[in-house]
Amino acid sequence: MDVIKRLEKLMTMDESSWHRHSNPWSVYSRFSVLPIISLAFWSREWIGGYSVIAILLSFLWVWVNPRLFGVPEKTNNWASMATFGERIYLKRKVEPIPQHHIKPILILQSLTSLGIPVFIYGLWRLDLSFVLAGNLWIMVFKAWFVDRMVWLYLDMKETNPEYSSWLK
């Protein structure tokens, strides 16, 4: 089982969660995750051991976010289609995706992951420049990945009636 499948299982994204996550408010507020986690870890400087509570709450936000907003009335938008593409990508072993998407997606995931050590180092050392650089690096490449998921959805929506039914 690959890492993304494990994360999806941890997130317990069922059909209802996916429909709610296609709400643009859910997608755009997701970009708050890294800054919130950063503040939570940084809070050890201000509140010591109580920062564990802030850290746990920041990870709870990761889990709650896709469930927080209602199912959108309209899904003909970038944010919704990004979640549709992600669903398709996560099912790629069951239903293959076009070959021209695989390499760019892997490159974007690799580039995103390069920011993680910078981010972690910054949090460990409480170095704001490293934390900000890590946040920026990860978010830029994650946004690019999300945009690629839109492209994937647009290429795949006509291949499966379920996929086309997501668009309203």
Side-chain angles (χ1 to χ4, degrees):
M1 184 184 292
D2 65 24
V3 174
I4 295 181
K5 278 289 185 194
R6 287 183 186 180
L7 289 173
E8 182 186 19
K9 189 171 183 126
L10 177 67
M11 290 291 293
T12 61
M13 292 290 285
D14 59 13
E15 196 68 26
S16 172
S17 301
W18 277 111
H19 286 299
R20 295 169 74 85
H21 186 39
S22 70
N23 187 317
W25 284 101
S26 176
V27 174
Y28 294 124
S29 64
R30 207 79 180 142
F31 285 96
S32 70
V33 164
L34 274 182
I36 289 171
I37 289 172
S38 299
L39 284 172
F41 275 91
W42 202 285
S43 73
R44 75 181 191 271
E45 183 73 10
W46 313 310
I47 58 177
Y50 292 108
S51 65
V52 171
I53 296 167
I55 293 165
L56 291 174
L57 288 172
S58 72
F59 286 116
L60 180 63
W61 171 240
V62 173
W63 187 86
V64 166
N65 175 273
R67 296 156 180 81
L68 185 63
F69 302 96
V71 176
E73 289 181 28
K74 300 280 185 194
T75 59
N76 191 12
N77 59 72
W78 181 87
S80 296
M81 288 189 281
T83 64
F84 303 157
E86 186 177 6
R87 289 180 75 179
I88 291 168
Y89 178 68
L90 291 171
K91 294 187 338 182
R92 70 192 176 281
K93 292 195 176 154
V94 176
E95 187 170 339
I97 63 173
Q99 196 65 32
H100 66 274
H101 286 289
I102 295 171
K103 189 173 183 179
I105 288 170
L106 293 174
I107 290 169
L108 289 170
Q109 288 176 324
S110 298
L111 287 169
T112 301
S113 68
L114 291 176
I116 295 171
V118 175
F119 175 67
I120 291 171
Y121 176 79
L123 290 176
W124 176 62
R125 299 287 303 184
L126 292 176
D127 186 316
L128 185 59
S129 61
F130 277 86
V131 171
L132 291 175
N135 266 270
L136 181 62
W137 183 275
I138 292 166
M139 285 198 277
V140 164
F141 286 104
K142 180 63 176 180
W144 196 349
F145 171 85
V146 169
D147 189 61
R148 189 71 191 206
M149 293 296 103
V150 174
W151 185 358
L152 175 61
Y153 174 70
L154 292 173
D155 278 1
M156 295 287 294
K157 72 178 178 176
E158 301 303 326
T159 66
N160 183 322
E162 178 187 10
Y163 300 162
S164 56
S165 74
W166 296 337
L167 196 61
K168 314 183 241 182

